[in-house]
C-alpha cells in the first residue's frame, strides 16, 4: 500500500476479492506487457475487458487505454467511461488497423481521468482476440 493505485482485498474480513483502488483524485497509470498469442489475427480488433466500479455515483471518469505493440510501433489510444457503483464489465476496443502484423508483445497502460470525489476500483481485466483462419482450420480438422 505504499504506491498508487493499491492492490487490496475488497473487505479483508468478509470479501477476499482482490481489486486495484485508485483513491479519489489519483490518476496514476498502471502498465503491463504481455506476449501475444501466435494465432492472433491482425485483421480483427483486439478487446481489453475491464471489470470495474466506482465507490460512489458522483464521478464517471474515462479510463484511458494506451496500447503499444512490439518494439518501435506507434501508441494508440482508446477509452471507456466508468460509471456507477455496480461492478460492470467495460470493453475497450483496439481497431484491427492498429494491430500490426508480426508483433510478439503488447503493452497496455490504463490511466483514469479526473475523479475527485469517488475511488475507482478494477477487479479484473483480460484480452479477447480473433484467431487466424489457419488456427481455426487446424482446430476444426483435429
Amino acid at each position: 500500500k505504499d504506491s498508487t493505485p493499491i492492490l487490496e482485498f475488497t473487505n479483508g474480513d468478509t470479501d477476499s476479492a482482490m481489486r486495484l483502488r485508485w483513491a479519489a483524485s489519483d490518476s496514476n497509470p498502471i502498465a503491463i506487457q504481455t506476449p501475444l498469442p501466435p494465432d492472433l489475427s491482425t485483421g480483427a480488433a483486439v478487446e481489453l475487458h475491464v471489470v470495474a466500479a466506482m465507490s460512489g455515483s458522483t464521478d464517471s471518469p474515462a479510463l484511458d487505454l494506451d496500447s503499444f505493440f512490439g518494439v518501435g510501433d506507434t501508441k494508440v489510444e482508446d477509452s471507456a467511461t466508468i460509471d456507477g457503483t455496480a461492478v460492470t464489465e467495460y470493453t475497450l476496443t483496439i481497431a484491427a488497423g492498429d494491430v500490426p502484423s508480426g508483433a510478439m508483445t503488447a503493452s497496455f497502460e490504463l490511466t483514469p481521468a479526473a475523479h475527485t470525489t469517488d475511488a475507482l476500483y478494477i477487479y479484473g481485466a483480460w484480452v479477447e482476440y480473433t484467431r487466424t483462419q489457419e488456427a481455426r482450420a487446424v482446430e476444426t480438422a483435429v
Side-chain angles (χ1 to χ4, degrees):
K1 294 189 175 184
D2 293 336
S3 64
T4 61
I6 64 171
L7 181 61
E8 66 180 5
F9 291 113
T10 299
N11 179 328
D13 292 334
T14 60
D15 188 344
S16 293
M18 299 295 294
R19 68 182 179 194
L20 285 174
R21 177 173 57 90
W22 279 267
S25 298
D26 178 8
S27 292
N28 287 327
I30 62 164
I32 62 166
Q33 182 170 315
T34 185
L36 292 172
D39 63 352
L40 180 134
S41 171
T42 57
V46 173
E47 296 177 342
L48 178 67
H49 294 259
V50 178
V51 177
M54 298 300 297
S55 66
S57 57
T58 302
D59 297 322
S60 295
L63 183 61
D64 296 325
L65 169 65
D66 290 346
S67 304
F68 191 88
F69 293 89
V71 177
D73 191 34
T74 302
K75 179 172 48 176
V76 296
E77 299 173 346
D78 299 284
S79 185
T81 299
I82 310 301
D83 56 356
T85 58
V87 176
T88 304
E89 178 184 338
Y90 297 90
T91 303
L92 297 107
T93 302
I94 304 162
D98 292 332
V99 182
S101 179
M104 293 182 279
T105 61
S107 299
F108 301 112
E109 179 181 322
L110 289 170
T111 308
H115 54 107
T116 56
T117 304
D118 303 320
L120 167 64
Y121 305 127
I122 291 184
Y123 295 90
W126 66 94
V127 175
E128 290 186 5
Y129 67 96
T130 301
R131 298 175 72 195
T132 62
Q133 292 291 345
E134 295 83 13
R136 287 193 296 260
V138 169
E139 183 178 82
T140 302
V142 174

